[in-house]
Amino acid sequence: MGMEDVLAAVGPRLKHIRRQRACTLAALSKATGISVSTLSRLEAGQRKPSLELLLPIAHAHQVPLDELVGAPPVGDPRVRLRPVKHRDDCTVVPLTRQPGGPQAFKMVIGTARSTPEPRTHEGYEWLYVLAGELRLVLAERDMVLGAGEAAEFDTRLPHWFGSTGRGPVEVLSLFGPQGERMHVRARPVPEGAARRPGAGCRPGD
């Protein structure tokens, strides 16, 4: 296949990948900073693909650049998730690959100590503890969730979560612009433990 054929196939491939992820042109435009008209012309083959356009699209879809340009398959069906190391001994693995809508993460938070710094932002978050204990500070509440427990809350409330300091914790996090009323199932932190700072991390930090 010649270079012209490769470039001509990029537009339909971009459209196919976007539709696979149920992503609108408007959502992709917001995630990439590329105008809707440019994205539309790119998918229709009316705009020549360039690294300046393809790199932010690949980042938004969380796919390798060679998937956008049609590199030959290597016969490996595995999804290669790339963990991101954050400060405070926290590793975040993104589980979703589409811009906009609910985002899923797996977090492994170590025992490094830090002072809770509650934050607010638009959206809703759902947390599920896979292993260990998670300290959750939500507005005026300070609580601990054990393995198998979950919490759901409006992120416009000041919130922070991290390790209790007694060991690492593994957490699933679902974050999105929409959600239901808060449901928290957890036990209060004992008085002595409430003053023990844990390690906090946010996927967006």
Side-chain angles (χ1 to χ4, degrees), residues 149-173:
E149 292 188 306
E152 183 183 356
F153 52 89
D154 187 330
T155 55
R156 290 173 297 183
L157 292 172
H159 62 282
W160 174 96
F161 58 84
S163 169
T164 60
R166 293 189 288 270
V169 57
E170 295 185 22
V171 184
L172 283 180
S173 169

Side-chain angles (χ1 to χ4, degrees), residues 96-114:
T96 46
R97 303 177 66 185
Q98 72 276 1
Q103 301 293 313
F105 304 89
K106 178 181 178 181
M107 289 175 281
V108 180
I109 305 172
T111 55
R113 295 173 180 269
S114 65

Side-chain angles (χ1 to χ4, degrees), residues 17 23 30 35 41-42 49 80 83-84 90 127 166 205:
I17 291 174
C23 176
K30 183 177 180 180
S35 69
R41 286 188 290 122
L42 190 61
R80 301 185 182 277
V84 178
C90 175
L127 301 173
R166 293 189 288 270
D205 285 354

Side-chain angles (χ1 to χ4, degrees), residues 18 63-64 66 68 80 115 128 181 188 191-192 197 200:
R18 178 176 62 80
V63 299
D66 57 6
L68 296 185
R80 301 185 182 277
T115 302
Y128 180 81
R181 57 183 301 182
E191 182 177 352

Side-chain angles (χ1 to χ4, degrees), residues 28-185:
L28 186 58
S29 173
K30 183 177 180 180
T32 61
I34 302 171
S35 69
V36 171
S37 61
T38 297
L39 291 171
S40 179
R41 286 188 290 122
L42 190 61
E43 290 186 357
Q46 300 170 356
R47 175 70 183 263
K48 187 175 181 179
S50 65
L51 282 178
E52 184 181 4
L53 296 173
L54 295 180
L55 283 175
I57 294 174
H59 179 73
H61 286 318
Q62 297 186 30
V63 299
L65 183 61
D66 57 6
E67 185 172 331
L68 296 185
V69 297
V74 297
D76 188 348
R78 292 174 294 179
V79 176
R80 301 185 182 277
L81 302 174
R82 297 183 179 179
V84 178
K85 186 74 173 181
H86 289 254
R87 60 182 179 272
D88 296 331
D89 195 19
C90 175
T91 300
V92 177
V93 181
L95 302 179
T96 46
R97 303 177 66 185
Q98 72 276 1
Q103 301 293 313
F105 304 89
K106 178 181 178 181
M107 289 175 281
V108 180
I109 305 172
T111 55
R113 295 173 180 269
S114 65
T115 302
E117 298 180 357
R119 300 183 180 185
T120 61
H121 51 85
E122 291 294 324
Y124 287 82
E125 189 152 4
W126 180 86
L127 301 173
Y128 180 81
V129 181
L130 295 169
E133 294 181 328
L134 181 75
R135 181 182 176 191
L136 172 63
V137 176
L138 183 62
E140 302 300 321
R141 303 184 65 182
D142 194 335
M143 63 198 80
V144 167
L145 282 73
E149 292 188 306
E152 183 183 356
F153 52 89
D154 187 330
T155 55
R156 290 173 297 183
L157 292 172
H159 62 282
W160 174 96
F161 58 84
S163 169
T164 60
R166 293 189 288 270
V169 57
E170 295 185 22
V171 184
L172 283 180
S173 169
L174 295 177
F175 172 77
Q178 297 179 347
E180 299 177 353
R181 57 183 301 182
M182 180 176 66
H183 301 285
V184 176
R185 178 169 160 261

